[in-house]
Amino acid sequence: IITYGSYISKKDDLVSAGILVGIADTAVALLAGFAIFPALFTVPGLTPSAGPGLIFVVLPNVFNTIPYGMVFGAAFFGLLVIAALTSTVSLLEVVAAYLIDERGWSRIKATVGTGLVCTIFAIPSALSVGASPGLTRLYQSGGNNQGFLDLMDLIFGNIMLMSGGLFIALFVGWRLGLDQAREELEEGRGKFSLFTVWAYLVKYICPAALLALLINFLWKTIRNLGWI
């Protein structure tokens, strides 16, 4: 988001864009949950804590039980591939932008090189959804077998995500400065009437809430792993 934000025109309304992105992202997540979790309880032996691999276990069972399931299944996973690839563009751009701006690499060299490295590191995740027993049952958490993909989701989809949000809030509220933040927010929209509320949230409430969530998540994770 930060890298994409650096490409935004000075005429764009950051506040409206941020609100729309938040609403759209939350809506998609809720719709995905409504599709997967009700069907989850129809498959014996699966629990909601089984991890991100659920989508590859639950939905194939659903498609096998409905008319033209193979057609819908192929269309769904085809669209899922497109969604995954378009999402990885934002992740790839972070490293590519650094190599281009700071190291002087060409766009093609930075993109291809970073993409190859990411592909190599993605192979264990792809194999951990049943293809490799060792990677599929890498460790146990809460009595369930967890694979390499679950470990990556644990680290980057939870711990790093909350940590990143925490440090961004701290940076904006305490290092960048609220005056400069206000200038950026009002660049393309004029006066931001709720800035005082926004500033209070970013400086105090958001860091405290994210820190509490992170500590709580780490505590539960440690307990599920049986370390205490």
Side-chain angles (χ1 to χ4, degrees):
I1 291 176
I2 295 175
T3 304
Y4 277 171
S6 67
Y7 302 146
I8 291 178
S9 169
K10 292 291 185 180
K11 298 179 181 179
D12 289 327
D13 185 344
L14 293 180
V15 176
S16 297
I19 292 173
L20 289 174
V21 169
I23 292 174
D25 183 71
T26 303
V28 170
L30 288 173
L31 289 173
F34 290 151
I36 294 175
F37 286 103
L40 167 70
F41 297 103
T42 66
V43 182
L46 292 180
T47 63
S49 61
L54 283 174
I55 193 172
F56 303 107
V57 179
V58 175
L59 292 185
N61 281 277
V62 174
F63 291 131
N64 284 336
T65 61
I66 63 175
Y68 304 104
M70 293 293 291
V71 176
F72 287 114
F76 174 83
F77 284 106
L79 293 172
L80 184 65
V81 169
I82 295 174
L85 288 175
T86 53
S87 297
T88 55
V89 170
S90 61
L91 303 176
L92 188 71
E93 183 62 20
V94 176
V95 182
Y98 168 78
L99 294 174
I100 294 169
D101 296 338
E102 302 296 331
R103 298 297 179 181
W105 289 27
S106 67
R107 165 67 65 174
I108 294 177
K109 181 181 177 181
T111 303
V112 173
T114 306
L116 287 174
V117 173
C118 291
T119 300
I120 293 172
F121 280 100
I123 292 174
S125 293
L127 295 176
S128 68
V129 195
S132 171
L135 292 172
T136 302
R137 296 184 293 273
L138 191 63
Y139 65 99
Q140 280 213 341
S141 177
N144 296 315
N145 289 319
Q146 304 291 316
F148 186 83
L149 178 60
D150 299 299
L151 179 61
M152 294 297 99
D153 179 62
L154 172 70
I155 296 174
F156 298 104
N158 291 283
I159 297 174
M160 296 302 293
L161 192 63
M162 287 184 281
S163 299
L166 172 62
F167 286 118
I168 288 173
L170 291 174
F171 175 79
V172 173
W174 297 92
R175 181 65 179 86
L176 177 67
L178 295 176
D179 290 337
Q180 187 171 344
R182 183 169 196 161
E183 181 181 340
E184 291 293 332
L185 288 171
E186 295 181 346
E187 184 75 31
R189 65 172 284 122
K191 185 175 177 59
F192 181 24
S193 58
L194 295 177
F195 177 79
T196 302
V197 177
W198 179 88
Y200 184 80
L201 290 172
V202 169
K203 195 168 185 178
Y204 301 107
I205 303 301
C206 291
L210 286 167
L211 182 60
L213 288 171
L214 180 60
I215 292 174
N216 181 64
F217 180 80
L218 290 174
W219 175 255
K220 286 185 176 180
T221 300
I222 292 172
R223 291 189 63 182
N224 287 334
L225 291 173
W227 292 356
I228 57 173

